[in-house]
Amino acid sequence: MTSKLNKIGVLTSGGDSPGMNAAVRAVVRSAEFHNIHCYGIYKGFEGLISDEIKKLNARSVKNIVNKGGTILKSARCLEFRTKEGRLKAKNNLDKYGINSLVVIGGNGSLLGGKIFEEEHGVKVVGIPGTIDNDLAGTRSTLGYDTALNTAVDAIDKIRDTAISHNRLFFIEVMGKGSGHIALNAGIGAGAEEVLIPEKNMGIDRLLKSLKHSEQSGKSSSIIVVSEGDKIGDNVFEFSSYIEKNFPHYETRVSILGHIQRGGSPSCFDRVLASRMGVFAVDCLLENKSKVMVGIIGDQIITVPIDDALKGGQEIDKDLVRVCDIISI
Ligand code: F6P
């Protein structure tokens, strides 16, 4: 592998996700392995604009493979959406002589990186870092597996109360407009119902299904609701509507929220992050850019960022069927 590449930057952007640190570590160490200088850019694109850029080496990223969050900090940067902001960012990168970036983040961050490359010629390779799993071209984004495990663990605990008190629990999970977390955590935790934006169940079908559960002897139920689901205005309204129809059940709402974004990454996410980080540097060495690194099957691949941003990742219909069958 030969190349004139001798400096790269790495940043984490958008919502943090478990595994981002492991990916930063892999990028920094892989760069050092190939005798490339690596610069950490702090607070995502915001740090590119405000010149928060620091040289890193293999030891700067010690003891972080197991840590949640991101040592580089993260932000959602409005200024980078403007031409003026991106010009400031380019001028700062020029000061350091950096012309290649690894951007670790979700769809907004990858879109930002792509526009930056098109406008200023800075080579960008993306690593999908988001718990939402809403990028096409990869079966798993960084942090998704950990978030699923966190959600399942939380739902298991809530189930203890649901059973003890004969309650109907509505548990809202994250995922923005995508139902991957809800569907998989719902199956994993044995939920009675899973409501996702990709499949509009309709309130009447839900009522019918809950009636059926009651008649079949269920005394409590867990309904996992993806935050992007559109059935009700919000999960609280939804819950009180259901309570009116099931007066002998008490309903409760639990919003899992940001606990799903934090915590030590799972082994799967650590390994995925390490492989993606090394591969991202390989891409830059091979002069490949405007691509996102992904995993298909067990193979690390690249996909043009444009394709990764097209329509997210489809919900597996077979999984929806499994969920419907096993929750009767
Ligand atoms: O994209 C990750 C995510 O956690 C989504 O699931 C959620 O909708 C959003 O970020 C929350 O963002 P914030 O932390 O800015 O409130």
Side-chain angles (χ1 to χ4, degrees):
M1 222 181 274
T2 54
S3 163
K4 288 193 205 83
L5 183 75
N6 72 349
K7 280 182 185 175
I8 65 171
V10 57
L11 62 86
T12 50
S13 162
D16 63 314
S17 70
M20 279 184 163
N21 277 329
V24 170
R25 171 178 177 265
V27 170
V28 172
R29 292 195 173 170
S30 174
E32 189 161 314
F33 179 83
H34 291 290
N35 296 315
I36 300 166
H37 299 284
C38 187
Y39 291 78
I41 295 143
Y42 288 77
K43 293 196 241 150
F45 294 120
E46 204 175 300
L48 267 189
I49 295 174
S50 56
D51 192 3
E52 292 174 72
I53 300 174
K54 212 172 92 185
K55 195 146 176 231
L56 302 174
N57 63 37
R59 296 286 74 74
S60 326
V61 289
K62 65 182 178 191
N63 302 328
I64 64 167
V65 69
N66 58 335
K67 299 277 191 288
T70 159
I71 59 156
L72 292 181
K73 313 259 182 192
S74 193
R76 301 189 203 273
C77 177
L78 290 180
E79 201 182 347
F80 197 72
R81 294 189 192 167
T82 67
K83 269 185 177 292
E84 295 73 23
R86 292 192 293 270
L87 182 61
K88 278 192 211 164
K90 168 67 174 151
N91 290 338
N92 281 329
L93 279 184
D94 284 349
K95 286 200 266 179
Y96 298 85
I98 302 169
N99 196 35
S100 301
L101 283 182
V102 177
V103 172
I104 307 169
N107 38 25
S109 310
L110 297 189
L111 178 63
K114 173 195 111 99
I115 295 173
F116 195 45
E117 169 154 359
E118 287 168 353
E119 220 167 68
H120 294 290
V122 174
K123 305 273 179 208
V124 170
V125 173
I127 292 183
T130 167
I131 63 165
D132 299 337
N133 206 30
D134 57 352
L135 283 154
T138 184
R139 78 174 156 93
S140 193
T141 55
L142 274 191
Y144 170 59
D145 181 67
T146 308
L148 278 183
N149 288 320
T150 304
V152 165
D153 187 49
I155 298 168
D156 284 350
K157 289 181 172 133
I158 292 171
R159 178 181 291 282
D160 290 346
T161 300
I163 295 171
S164 306
H165 290 262
N166 288 355
R167 282 179 182 166
L168 255 178
F169 259 96
F170 290 82
I171 304 177
E172 187 187 280
V173 296
M174 277 188 168
K176 224 162 22 193
S178 109
H180 291 285
I181 296 181
L183 181 58
N184 285 273
I187 292 176
E192 274 62 38
E193 301 294 340
V194 176
L195 306 180
I196 56 174
E198 293 86 346
K199 183 184 170 231
N200 191 348
M201 185 182 204
I203 199 104
D204 294 333
R205 257 201 67 201
L206 177 66
L207 280 174
K208 221 166 118 194
S209 164
L210 288 172
K211 283 240 153 68
H212 177 264
S213 295
E214 198 184 25
Q215 282 157 5
S216 75
K218 288 194 185 181
S219 54
S220 64
S221 279
I222 301 282
I223 302 166
V224 174
V225 187
S226 171
E227 64 176 350
D229 187 77
K230 299 290 180 311
I231 286 193
D233 277 349
N234 66 51
V235 70
F236 289 99
E237 261 183 40
F238 195 24
S239 145
S240 44
Y241 180 80
I242 298 289
E243 197 167 40
K244 281 191 199 115
N245 288 274
F246 292 90
H248 65 283
Y249 271 137
E250 271 187 297
T251 68
R252 288 288 188 274
V253 172
S254 240
I255 296 181
L256 299 190
H258 289 81
I259 63 161
Q260 295 158 99
R261 285 236 303 257
S264 184
S266 64
C267 181
F268 177 83
D269 276 330
R270 296 181 199 191
V271 175
L272 183 64
S274 304
R275 293 177 74 188
M276 285 182 165
V278 168
F279 205 79
V281 175
D282 287 348
C283 287
L284 290 172
L285 279 164
E286 287 162 9
N287 211 20
K288 256 193 220 161
S289 67
K290 248 206 303 174
V291 293
M292 180 194 84
V293 176
I295 183 165
I296 298 291
D298 194 40
Q299 199 68 14
I300 300 291
I301 48 95
T302 57
V303 54
I305 291 181
D306 273 328
D307 292 349
L309 296 176
K310 267 184 212 148
Q313 199 191 125
E314 277 185 27
I315 285 285
D316 182 347
K317 290 195 182 64
D318 186 49
L319 220 48
V320 173
R321 180 171 169 267
V322 166
C323 183
D324 288 344
I325 292 175
I326 60 171
S327 58
I328 58 168

